[in-house]
Amino acid sequence: MTNLKGQAPQAIEDRGFRLRPLYLTLPLANVAVMFLWIGVGAFLLPRHVQLITGTNDVAALGLANSVGPLMATIANPVFGQISDRTRSRFGRRAPWILGCVAVGVLALLAQANAASVLMLGISWAGVQLIMNGYQAAITAVLPDRVPSRRYGTFSALFGLGTPLATIGAAIMFMTMPQLADGGAYYVVMAVLAVAALLVVFASPDRDSTGLPRRPFRLGAFLAAFVRPLRHRDFFWAFAGRFGLVLGYMMIFTFNLFLLEDFIKIPKGEVVAKMGLLMLVGQVATFLAVILVGPLSDRVARFRLFALISGLASAVTLVIPLVLPTFEGMLVYNVLHGVAFGVFMAVDMALVTKVLPDEEEVGKDMGVLNIANAGPQIAAPAIAAFLVTAGGYTTLFLTGIAVSLIASLAVLKIRGVR
């Protein structure tokens, strides 16, 4: 088998001179987009709804998130497929990394100035559409340019994106809570711009203008998004990732309202305490990632670690139900943070090993990104429905069920240990 460049697979293994800058720039690019999803999705969006409506309007928050999941579902594989076909002297991914950030900043500017829930939802959907294109491009860099013997290490570096972004957001809002009223949108824009410039120019890819390109046929283009899900291991890796991320994010993205309405923390204290909980939880995630990532490379047992993570996540979700206090949430955030960190450490390595087509890694990683970005973006809308229908107990019970189902999916992957 040959890769997209007409080289034997071993040729990718020998491209070590391109690997060194990626150890820094690729994780930073991922931290930046996680900072967007978390800083805006978990902090700014609920606060923006509060400022517009004057209340903790669960239905309004759900409306603001109602279109975004569809945008994420469309954008990841479509942009991945288009970047696979892109030919430029900067490589296949760079034009989309830079272009998506440029347009994404404009969409964020519109969101920062949204004066109604409807406009907030429309602008947030636009941000999700274009920035999932950015995410598709940066995740395709891993199978493009990283040798398989380094998958575990780079998976861990990718896995640091969520805890580092959350720690950064938590510190920002704890130390400068006034930024939650809109100023943080501009911080997010700056972080995205710097990260995009670094990954493109500090770790440049090779010229792709001479690469062969498959003829474009619309039917084949559309069918390509479904085809990888017909591969057994790819399908179960997709299902496992979707469930594990969804079970985590349903609680995580609803923290503000949960702490006020379920844990009964006074409104004047909730932002600072939410920041503390998120900081503690993400430090736990960070430590788990840096320990498990290199270990998984050494023992080559990626599926086992993902299975342990799913089961542990389900168990920790019981804690807030039996101990609905700030102290209970503190214990939950630490233990659940460790469980999620174990998953984040091996996730990219696991999914990269089940890619079915070396010539369409951008599109296939884009399909898999739906299982990562989709739950993060859809979680607030799902959580809003569950809380409205059955309260916060229903939210936690659903999270437990989703985590257990995800563990069963991981168990069904056969081609990866």
Side-chain angles (χ1 to χ4, degrees), residues 81 85 215-227 230:
Q81 174 84 305
R85 294 172 172 272
F216 178 81
R217 296 183 180 87
L218 182 59
F221 181 84
L222 297 175
F225 302 125
V226 179
R227 193 183 307 124
R230 295 174 182 166

Side-chain angles (χ1 to χ4, degrees), residues 106-138:
L106 294 177
L108 275 169
L109 187 61
Q111 183 176 346
N113 291 280
S116 68
V117 172
L118 177 61
M119 290 307 300
L120 182 64
I122 292 172
S123 56
W124 182 223
V127 170
Q128 292 170 55
L129 174 67
I130 195 67
M131 290 310 300
N132 272 281
Y134 166 91
Q135 190 161 17
I138 63 168

Side-chain angles (χ1 to χ4, degrees), residues 121-354:
I122 292 172
S123 56
W124 182 223
V127 170
Q128 292 170 55
L129 174 67
I130 195 67
M131 290 310 300
N132 272 281
Y134 166 91
Q135 190 161 17
I138 63 168
T139 53
V141 173
L142 192 151
D144 275 353
R145 299 167 61 184
V146 175
S148 60
R149 66 180 183 274
R150 293 286 181 263
Y151 279 178
T153 299
F154 269 84
S155 179
L157 291 173
F158 259 91
L160 292 176
T162 297
L164 287 179
T166 307
I167 290 169
I171 291 174
M172 179 174 68
F173 289 114
M174 285 174 64
T175 58
M176 294 176 286
Q178 70 275 13
L179 290 179
D181 292 341
Y185 279 113
Y186 299 93
V187 177
V188 172
M189 295 177 206
V191 169
L192 287 169
V194 170
L197 291 170
L198 282 175
V199 75
V200 169
F201 294 109
S203 52
D205 199 1
R206 287 180 173 173
D207 187 326
S208 65
T209 54
L211 298 182
R213 179 164 33 194
R214 292 178 178 176
F216 178 81
R217 296 183 180 87
L218 182 59
F221 181 84
L222 297 175
F225 302 125
V226 179
R227 193 183 307 124
L229 292 173
R230 295 174 182 166
H231 293 258
R232 174 191 169 90
D233 281 352
F234 187 99
F235 173 80
W236 290 118
F238 179 97
R241 175 192 267 198
F242 193 100
L244 285 167
V245 175
L246 181 61
Y248 176 83
M249 296 304 295
M250 281 195 308
I251 310 300
F252 180 82
T253 58
F254 229 65
N255 265 338
L256 181 66
F257 291 178
L258 187 155
L259 291 175
E260 285 189 16
D261 299 337
F262 184 67
I263 306 300
K264 307 299 183 185
I265 293 177
K267 185 168 292 189
E269 302 175 14
V270 72
V271 171
K273 288 195 172 181
M274 183 177 79
L276 177 61
L277 289 174
M278 295 175 79
L279 181 60
V280 169
Q282 295 309 309
V283 168
T285 299
F286 175 87
L287 293 174
V289 169
I290 62 175
L291 290 174
V292 173
L295 177 62
S296 68
D297 256 346
R298 189 172 297 116
V299 302
R301 299 295 295 268
F302 306 116
R303 184 184 66 156
L304 175 62
F305 284 113
L307 177 63
I308 291 171
S309 170
L311 295 174
S313 294
V315 172
T316 61
L317 281 163
V318 176
I319 295 171
L321 291 176
V322 299
L323 193 62
T325 64
F326 177 74
E327 291 73 20
M329 289 298 293
L330 189 63
V331 174
Y332 159 76
N333 273 269
V334 171
L335 297 182
H336 201 68
V338 170
F340 194 64
V342 172
F343 167 70
M344 294 300 291
V346 300
D347 172 51
M348 285 293 290
L350 180 65
V351 300
T352 301
K353 284 183 173 292
V354 301

Side-chain angles (χ1 to χ4, degrees), residues 5-53:
K5 302 185 184 305
Q7 300 168 313
Q10 183 60 35
I12 296 178
E13 305 292 327
D14 294 336
R15 292 172 64 191
F17 73 94
R18 294 193 178 276
L19 205 57
R20 187 172 298 172
L22 283 179
Y23 278 106
L24 176 63
T25 60
L26 195 55
L28 283 177
N30 190 50
V31 168
V33 76
M34 290 299 108
F35 190 64
L36 165 66
W37 301 141
I38 292 163
V40 177
F43 285 92
L44 288 176
L45 197 66
R47 179 57 179 159
H48 207 143
V49 168
Q50 284 183 331
L51 292 173
I52 291 172
T53 65

